Amino acid sequence: MIKPTKKEIFFVQLMLGISLLLGVLPPLIMFLVSRKKHRYYREASRKALNFHLTIFPLFVTSSFLPSWYKYAFLAIETLIILYAMIRIAFQKSYHYPAIPYIKNKETKYIEEGYSHVP
């Protein structure tokens, strides 16, 4: 089973932490930069990007509803991202509740055994 390095774990957690403030931009940048080079970065950023693209329409829609809806979606998003960051730190598998807009085109990550990316 392939384990990610501490550097990879740190940068994925940093990307997720910044995405709490900037939304979809950090996962998008990491995905575009690393999609052909680093499998771990590509998969982690793809999953985070799918999650942000799933929750963004809900967040926009909530702006037409009472303000507590927007805060509720923001709190849920924050909890899910924090949960993913903790699971990454302990190298456990995690899954976002997301629509797979960007699909995994290769299945060899599961075969190669990345423990907490698939």
Side-chain angles (χ1 to χ4, degrees):
M1 185 172 300
I2 299 172
K3 297 281 184 181
T5 64
K6 289 185 179 190
K7 177 184 168 188
E8 290 173 330
I9 290 171
F10 171 76
F11 280 116
V12 168
Q13 287 183 316
L14 182 66
M15 178 266 301
L16 289 173
I18 294 172
S19 75
L20 285 172
L21 299 173
L22 299 179
V24 74
L25 289 177
L28 179 63
I29 291 169
M30 182 179 267
F31 182 77
L32 292 175
V33 169
S34 67
R35 68 178 173 208
K36 294 182 181 175
K37 298 177 190 171
H38 302 284
R39 285 179 252 169
Y40 181 73
Y41 291 151
R42 176 179 53 230
E43 284 304 299
S45 62
R46 179 187 65 82
K47 290 168 68 174
L49 189 56
N50 281 334
F51 172 68
H52 281 286
L53 292 174
T54 300
I55 204 157
F56 182 72
L58 299 173
F59 191 71
V60 170
T61 304
S62 70
S63 65
F64 299 109
L65 301 171
S67 64
W68 68 270
Y69 282 100
K70 187 182 294 186
Y71 294 118
F73 282 124
L74 189 59
I76 291 168
E77 177 184 19
T78 302
L79 290 174
I80 291 170
I81 291 174
L82 289 175
Y83 174 75
M85 290 173 73
I86 292 168
R87 298 290 290 188
I88 289 169
F90 290 114
Q91 297 185 8
K92 304 279 184 179
S93 65
Y94 66 97
H95 299 284
Y96 291 104
I99 299 169
Y101 294 108
I102 302 170
K103 298 191 189 238
N104 185 3
K105 294 187 179 183
E106 299 178 20
T107 58
K108 68 181 187 179
Y109 304 114
I110 297 170
E111 295 167 5
E112 288 182 4
Y114 274 110
S115 63
H116 59 287
V117 172

